[in-house]
């Protein structure tokens, strides 16, 4: 066979990476004293930033493509870290109010019957305060028993009118009968808008001719008891309500590809208060402590949020420190809800009203990192033993085109068998360069890398057994980790690993 024919055959076979009969040199005859060089690609990987960090949805964090803002965001929502029943936090009276009215009668009538000739007409209009120490009531819907007692006369007719109370849309006006009695008020609406915490009434009483006068004081008293609140509205005094301590795990998969710490530049924590059957102004003071599972921790105390609807957003330096740990293990929390800060806001609470507090952690992939170790595994195409037996010397060429603003530097390329057992370890002095970025950390031009690594005789022999390459190399963002960068969803990294070898086939 002519040398040109052998070269053509060799070239064709080398293009068939992965075939178990990739290159059977014992089938080539008629060549002596020839040491050809060849380049065999044994591994290829293409990463996108989105593919590198995306993960299946589950109980942990979501990795979100925020295409509207061309960014990647790590987002975790921890639902229902606390449920607040506001009614449980208020001291609501069992006796809402008392009314005591005394009419003074002429002493000459005491012990006698009222002679007439016309009935004795008495009335009084006034207001009394309701018993609510928590603040100012504007409106109250409740059911209760209005008990009354009349003394000093044997017979009477009377009506009590509650001017700022309605039942079924009509002003409450009730007739009294007998020395004692009880009147049920059902879902009565007390309107204290004009005068907070004040119940306005008029009592009209008539003593008929012939009634016995027992005292010079005709007394009528009312109690509003056994109160069952349906809804209250008004102002309550500021009060903190403790949130019991708890913890959650973000479960971010891609963090496990890195060993070290991050420096996120724009993370934030949100506390969402979902209210049902109530409206009230609030603030929250929270403590978070993050743990990385390696003995490291970071703490943040949050008290000055930006309010957006029912979400309180905290975005400060201590948040960046907390989440840049990163919290691979867990985040512990505790704190308090401050109801009606300053005591000036209006609130409405139904008896079954609740507020459910959830936590949101958002981490845009805007960061700077240095001193990290990146770990990932790629498949290796099979290299036939016949080739390895003929290799005189070999180098590993690592070629890359990098659009992700991350440099992979010195480290190791670890050869693994099909069971992921380590076979060999090859030192990598420089793996992949970082691309250029602008002042906002956005890639302006990709980086092309082409690095050669000398292989030892042992390395060459172990290539046959290798099923995977484990990359374990240092990582840092562009400009040696000093400039914050923005990782975009479609940023990509292309890696090709080839073996460049000189073969000894002089014995063919």
């Amino acid at each position: 066979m002519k040398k040109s024919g052998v070269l053509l055959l060799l070239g064709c076979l080398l293009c068939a990476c992965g075939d178990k009969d990739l290159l059977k040199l014992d089938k080539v005859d008629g060549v002596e004293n020839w040491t050809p060089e060849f380049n065999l690609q044994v591994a290829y990987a293409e990463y996108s930033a989105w593919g590198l960090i995306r993960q299946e949805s589950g109980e942990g964090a979501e990795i979100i493509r925020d295409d509207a803002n061309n960014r990647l965001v790590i987002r975790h929502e921890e639902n229902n870290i606390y449920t607040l029943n506001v009614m449980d936090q208020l001291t609501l009276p069992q006796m809402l109010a008392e009314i005591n009215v005394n009419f003074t009668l002429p002493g000459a009538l005491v012990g006698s019957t009222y002679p007439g000739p016309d009935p004795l007409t008495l009335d009084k209009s006034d207001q009394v305060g309701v018993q609510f120490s928590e603040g100012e009531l504007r409106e109250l819907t409740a059911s209760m028993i209005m008990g009354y007692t009349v003394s000093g006369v044997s017979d009477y007719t009377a009506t009590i009118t509650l001017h700022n109370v309605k039942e079924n849309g009509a002003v409450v006006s009730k007739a009294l009968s007998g020395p004692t009695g009880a009147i049920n008020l059902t879902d009565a609406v007390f309107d204290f808008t004009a005068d907070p915490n004040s119940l306005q009434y008029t009592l009209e009483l008539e003593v008929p001719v012939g009634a016995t006068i027992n005292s010079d004081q005709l007394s009528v008293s009312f109690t509003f008891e056994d109160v069952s609140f349906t809804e209250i509205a008004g102002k309550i005094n500021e009060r903190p309500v403790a949130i019991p301590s708890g913890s959650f795990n973000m479960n971010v998969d891609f963090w496990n590809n890195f060993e070290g710490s991050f420096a996120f530049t724009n993370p934030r924590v949100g506390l969402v208060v979902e209210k049902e059957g109530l409206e009230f102004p609030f603030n929250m003071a929270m403590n978070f402590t993050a743990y990385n599972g390696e003995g490291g921790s970071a703490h943040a105390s949050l008290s000055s949020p930006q309010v957006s609807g029912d979400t309180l957003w905290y975005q400060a330096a201590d948040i960046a420190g907390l989440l840049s740990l990163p919290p691979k293990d867990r985040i512990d929390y505790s704190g308090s809800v401050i109801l009606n800060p300053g005591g000036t806001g209006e609130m409405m609470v139904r008896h079954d009203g609740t507020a459910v507090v959830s936590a949101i952690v958002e981490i845009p992939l805007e960061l700077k990192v240095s001193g990290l170790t990146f770990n990932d595994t790629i498949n290796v195409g099979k290299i036939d033993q016949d080739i390895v037996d003929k290799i005189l010397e070999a180098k590993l060429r690592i070629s890359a085109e990098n659009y992700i603003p991350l440099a992979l530097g010195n480290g190791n390329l670890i050869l693994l068998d099909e069971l992921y057992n380590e076979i060999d370890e090859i030192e990598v002095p420089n793996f992949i360069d970082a691309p250029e970025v602008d002042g906002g950390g956005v890639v302006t031009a990709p980086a092309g890398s082409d690095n050669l690594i000398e292989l030892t005789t042992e390395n060459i022999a172990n290539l046959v057994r290798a099923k995977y390459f484990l990359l374990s190399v240092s990582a840092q963002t562009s400009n040696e980790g000093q400039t914050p960068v923005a990782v975009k969803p479609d940023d990509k990294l292309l890696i090709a690993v080839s073996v460049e070898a000189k073969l000894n086939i002089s014995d063919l």
Side-chain angles (χ1 to χ4, degrees):
M1 180 181 293
K2 294 182 180 180
K3 183 178 291 187
S4 60
V6 175
L7 283 172
L8 178 61
L9 175 62
L10 182 60
C12 292
L13 291 173
L14 289 177
C15 292
C17 179
D19 190 332
K20 66 179 182 178
D21 293 320
L22 178 66
L23 186 58
K24 297 294 187 178
L25 292 177
D26 57 356
K27 306 299 182 183
V28 181
D29 298 321
V31 178
E32 296 181 2
N33 301 316
W34 182 33
T35 57
E37 295 181 357
F38 72 95
N39 186 321
L40 176 63
Q41 180 174 295
V42 294
Y44 178 81
E46 180 174 338
Y47 300 96
S48 69
W50 171 238
L52 188 63
I53 72 168
R54 70 181 300 180
Q55 62 186 56
E56 297 297 326
S57 59
E59 296 184 358
E62 294 181 278
I63 310 298
I64 298 172
R65 278 187 70 124
D66 181 6
D67 289 325
N69 296 297
N70 191 26
R71 65 177 189 167
L72 292 167
V73 179
I74 304 168
R75 190 178 192 274
H76 177 79
E77 184 168 349
E78 188 69 18
N79 295 316
N80 196 9
I81 65 173
Y82 180 63
T83 299
L84 171 67
N85 187 321
V86 178
M87 282 292 195
D88 290 345
Q89 306 302 323
L90 302 178
T91 304
L92 301 175
Q94 284 301 297
M95 180 181 288
L96 182 66
E98 292 182 88
I99 297 175
N100 294 294
V101 179
N102 292 305
F103 297 106
T104 301
L105 303 178
L109 295 178
V110 176
S112 63
T113 58
Y114 180 64
D118 299 316
L120 177 62
T121 301
L122 306 168
D123 67 80
K124 183 176 182 181
S125 295
D126 202 353
Q127 63 184 32
V128 294
V130 299
Q131 299 179 21
F132 184 71
S133 61
E134 302 294 328
E136 295 181 355
L137 286 178
R138 295 282 188 269
E139 190 173 286
L140 167 69
T141 302
S143 298
M144 64 196 72
I145 297 173
M146 183 174 66
Y148 62 87
T149 300
V150 181
S151 63
V153 67
S154 64
D155 192 17
Y156 70 92
T157 58
T159 300
I160 179 75
T161 300
L162 306 176
H163 297 289
N164 57 345
V165 183
K166 291 183 177 181
E167 194 176 36
N168 297 321
V171 172
V172 171
S173 184
K174 302 291 185 180
L176 312 183
S177 176
T180 62
I183 298 169
N184 289 323
L185 299 179
T186 304
D187 289 331
V189 179
F190 293 70
D191 184 358
F192 302 129
T193 304
D195 198 351
N197 294 8
S198 293
L199 178 60
Q200 301 166 3
Y201 71 91
T202 294
L203 175 65
E204 297 174 314
L205 187 146
E206 186 177 273
V207 178
V209 175
T212 301
I213 306 297
N214 300 317
S215 172
D216 62 352
Q217 294 291 321
L218 197 164
S219 299
V220 185
S221 62
F222 299 86
T223 58
F224 296 78
E225 299 182 280
D226 296 332
V227 182
S228 176
F229 293 89
T230 300
E231 184 177 307
I232 63 173
K235 295 180 180 180
I236 65 168
N237 302 326
E238 176 182 322
R239 65 171 57 221
V241 179
I243 295 176
S245 59
S247 65
F248 60 88
N249 190 328
M250 289 185 63
N251 292 319
V252 179
D253 289 343
F254 92 93
W255 278 340
N256 297 323
N257 284 340
F258 294 88
E259 296 175 4
S261 61
F262 298 76
F264 295 109
T265 59
N266 197 29
R268 63 179 184 168
V269 170
L271 296 172
V272 183
V273 180
E274 296 179 275
K275 296 175 289 190
E276 184 173 345
L278 55 86
E279 289 295 332
F280 64 93
F282 63 93
N283 200 344
M284 300 185 74
M286 294 294 293
N287 296 302
F288 290 93
T289 303
Y291 299 89
N292 65 4
E294 301 167 1
S297 64
H299 180 79
S301 295
L302 313 179
S303 59
S304 299
Q306 294 178 342
V307 181
S308 176
D310 285 338
T311 303
L312 306 180
W313 287 109
Y314 300 85
Q315 195 166 10
D318 49 0
I319 288 291
L322 181 83
L323 299 175
S324 295
L325 189 60
K328 294 181 182 180
D329 182 12
R330 70 183 193 279
I331 297 177
D332 292 348
Y333 63 84
S334 62
S336 60
V337 178
I338 295 89
L339 300 179
N340 197 19
T344 59
E346 297 287 333
M347 68 171 295
M348 180 283 295
V349 184
R350 289 185 55 84
H351 71 96
D352 57 353
T354 58
V356 177
V357 181
S358 300
I360 297 175
V361 180
E362 284 191 356
I363 311 174
L365 261 291
E366 299 166 10
L367 71 164
K368 57 181 180 179
V369 297
S370 60
L372 291 180
T373 300
F374 171 76
N375 297 297
D376 196 27
T377 303
I378 59 176
N379 292 337
V380 178
K382 182 170 179 57
I383 304 174
D384 196 89
Q385 182 67 52
D386 290 340
I387 293 179
V388 174
D389 289 344
K390 305 301 181 183
I391 292 177
L392 291 174
E393 59 183 60
K395 297 177 182 178
L396 211 59
R397 181 178 292 276
I398 300 173
S399 301
E401 187 175 5
N402 187 13
Y403 296 80
I404 299 176
L406 188 72
L408 302 180
N410 63 300
N412 294 287
L413 187 66
I414 300 171
L415 279 59
L416 305 176
D417 64 17
E418 65 275 4
L419 299 177
Y420 294 91
N421 297 313
E422 181 175 337
I423 301 170
D424 202 351
E425 189 170 302
I426 301 170
E427 184 177 350
V428 180
N430 185 52
F431 197 64
I432 298 169
D433 297 333
E436 297 179 10
V437 296
D438 61 18
V442 178
V443 173
T444 57
S449 301
D450 197 26
N451 299 309
L452 278 172
I453 303 168
E454 296 281 351
L455 297 180
T456 66
T457 303
E458 184 180 359
N459 296 153
I460 296 169
N462 287 327
L463 283 174
V464 174
R465 300 166 54 204
K467 180 64 176 176
Y468 307 99
F469 284 157
L470 170 61
L471 312 180
S472 181
V473 292
S474 64
Q476 61 184 12
T477 46
S478 298
N479 298 331
E480 298 182 350
Q482 299 305 307
T483 300
V485 300
V487 181
K488 304 300 182 181
D490 295 324
D491 288 348
K492 61 184 178 180
L493 168 62
L494 311 177
I495 302 174
V497 181
S498 302
V499 176
E500 294 187 0
K502 182 177 289 186
L503 299 180
N504 176 12
I505 56 174
S506 60
D507 59 341
L508 293 180

